[in-house]
Amino acid sequence: MTSNQFGSFGFLQSGSLEDEPLVLLDFGLEARQNEIYDFNNAYRDYSGYLFQYTLRGHGLFTWEGQPGKGRQTENLTAGTAFLISVPEGSRYFLPSDEPENCWEYLYVHFQGTAALPFFSRIRAAFGPCFALPADSLPILLWLNLHRELREGRQLKSYEGGELVYRFLSGLLRTLESPALFEPSASVAEGIRYMKEHFDQRFSMEELAGRLGLSAAYFTRLFTRETGQTPLACLNGIRLSHAVFLLLNTSLSVDEVALSCGFSCGNYFCKVFRKASGFSPVEYRRRYARQGRP
């Protein structure tokens, strides 16, 4: 990327609404190298949401993890992003001990009440940092707009908010669509093991240990690449087999539970009801073909 392709664009109020649900404030492509670039988001001089995606090089992002786990650090290499709400207890910065490293990134700064449901869902499911394909809609949308604005295009009234909505819905859809990602060797092996041993009882700690990883790292990696936790994936595999047994055998609920790797019938019923809206007995009564003409 050449220097004349970098640059930021800022936007004034895009329409006549006093409280627009989504407002694009500014976005751009920037490159940082051999300089002080360090932001503590607990003490920023503006509010809103910030998305930043690494195009080349790398930066560092730190945040307060789950209780008892202390502060966590993410190396933001090409293809990884962070999403924050300012103010919050996080920080991103260019490593000062790597003068040759050039951190090139795309950033989007926006605000509005309509962003909160998307932000809450993304942060709860994927955390502040996650990977995105470079050719995914959330990235191409801004790269294409940046090129068009450099060529003289102007945004129309309310178009900024419309673009932010497209971005947020596309971002959430991309993160929740495992097919968009080629899983890493560790995640692929974890899925293979689940499919082959779902009828056995094992913890995520034991599975991660088989892969030579900590449970925390494996869970984080798995969630980032597939859009769901390892336990959710395992339960999905078990539930699929449970449905087959409920509809095609006369096994009791407890027998189905144990055959699918669940610890007991009560836990199986809880997981099954949450996924289907019915108890296993109710589901079998409604949909089983046994005994029907």
Side-chain angles (χ1 to χ4, degrees), residues 102-161:
C102 182
W103 190 11
E104 299 179 4
Y105 55 83
L106 157 73
Y107 82 91
V108 187
H109 178 208
F110 56 95
Q111 64 183 20
T113 55
L116 182 58
F118 291 98
F119 175 80
S120 299
R121 167 61 182 164
I122 291 169
R123 287 292 291 261
F126 306 99
C129 303
F130 40 81
L132 286 171
D135 60 353
S136 61
L137 183 148
I139 304 305
L140 293 181
L141 184 151
W142 299 114
L143 291 178
N144 291 337
L145 179 63
H146 195 271
R147 173 181 51 78
E148 292 172 0
L149 293 177
R150 290 201 325 269
E151 295 172 353
R153 182 165 100 77
Q154 299 292 318
L155 291 189
K156 302 174 183 178
S157 295
Y158 310 111
E159 188 178 1

Side-chain angles (χ1 to χ4, degrees), residues 186-191 194 204-205 207-209 211 213-224 230-231:
S186 296
V187 170
E189 176 61 19
I191 294 173
M194 291 179 193
M204 290 302 104
E205 287 76 11
L207 176 54
L211 302 173
L213 305 173
S214 70
Y217 178 77
F218 176 61
T219 298
R220 188 168 153 203
L221 179 67
F222 195 100
T223 302
R224 175 188 298 170
L231 181 58

Side-chain angles (χ1 to χ4, degrees), residues 2-278:
T2 60
S3 60
N4 63 354
Q5 292 178 303
F6 292 103
S8 298
F9 297 91
F11 307 93
L12 302 177
Q13 189 76 5
S14 62
S16 58
L17 293 178
E18 290 187 3
D19 296 309
E20 290 188 46
L22 286 172
V23 177
L24 175 61
L25 299 174
D26 57 275
F27 90 103
L29 305 180
E30 294 188 346
R32 305 285 181 170
Q33 183 177 20
N34 199 22
E35 61 182 287
I36 298 176
Y37 179 69
D38 189 336
F39 290 99
N40 186 327
N41 298 309
Y43 306 103
R44 301 299 297 271
D45 56 359
Y46 68 84
S47 61
Y49 300 91
L50 176 66
F51 170 83
Q52 190 160 304
Y53 179 79
T54 301
L55 300 168
R56 191 167 71 87
H58 75 99
L60 296 178
F61 182 91
T62 66
W63 76 99
E64 290 298 331
Q66 298 177 356
K69 293 188 177 181
R71 200 160 184 83
Q72 299 185 45
T73 300
E74 179 79 14
N75 185 21
L76 296 170
T77 55
T80 57
F82 67 77
L83 177 65
I84 62 172
S85 173
V86 180
E88 68 167 43
S90 61
R91 172 189 172 215
Y92 60 95
F93 56 97
L94 180 70
S96 59
D97 58 347
E98 301 179 26
E100 299 303 317
N101 173 52
C102 182
W103 190 11
E104 299 179 4
Y105 55 83
L106 157 73
Y107 82 91
V108 187
H109 178 208
F110 56 95
Q111 64 183 20
T113 55
L116 182 58
F118 291 98
F119 175 80
S120 299
R121 167 61 182 164
I122 291 169
R123 287 292 291 261
F126 306 99
C129 303
F130 40 81
L132 286 171
D135 60 353
S136 61
L137 183 148
I139 304 305
L140 293 181
L141 184 151
W142 299 114
L143 291 178
N144 291 337
L145 179 63
H146 195 271
R147 173 181 51 78
E148 292 172 0
L149 293 177
R150 290 201 325 269
E151 295 172 353
R153 182 165 100 77
Q154 299 292 318
L155 291 189
K156 302 174 183 178
S157 295
Y158 310 111
E159 188 178 1
E162 178 185 355
L163 288 167
V164 174
Y165 182 82
R166 287 180 57 200
F167 161 68
L168 290 172
S169 57
L171 176 60
L172 185 54
R173 182 168 58 250
T174 301
L175 291 173
E176 292 183 337
S177 300
L180 294 174
F181 296 92
E182 184 69 27
S184 63
S186 296
V187 170
E189 176 61 19
I191 294 173
R192 184 199 65 78
Y193 187 89
M194 291 179 193
K195 289 180 176 180
E196 294 181 359
H197 302 278
F198 69 88
D199 58 335
Q200 303 172 19
R201 292 182 58 188
F202 56 90
S203 67
M204 290 302 104
E205 287 76 11
E206 292 171 332
L207 176 54
R210 287 178 174 273
L211 302 173
L213 305 173
S214 70
Y217 178 77
F218 176 61
T219 298
R220 188 168 153 203
L221 179 67
F222 195 100
T223 302
R224 175 188 298 170
E225 293 188 6
T226 70
Q228 59 182 335
T229 65
L231 181 58
C233 179
L234 177 59
N235 280 342
I237 295 170
R238 286 171 168 169
L239 287 174
S240 294
H241 189 62
V243 167
F244 176 83
L245 295 179
L246 287 171
L247 299 183
N248 296 279
T249 75
S250 58
L251 293 175
S252 69
V253 170
D254 284 339
E255 289 172 331
V256 170
L258 295 178
S259 296
C260 297
F262 290 99
S263 58
C264 64
N266 287 339
Y267 178 63
F268 166 59
C269 289
K270 180 180 178 181
V271 174
F272 193 93
R273 180 179 288 278
K274 183 176 180 181
S276 69
F278 302 104

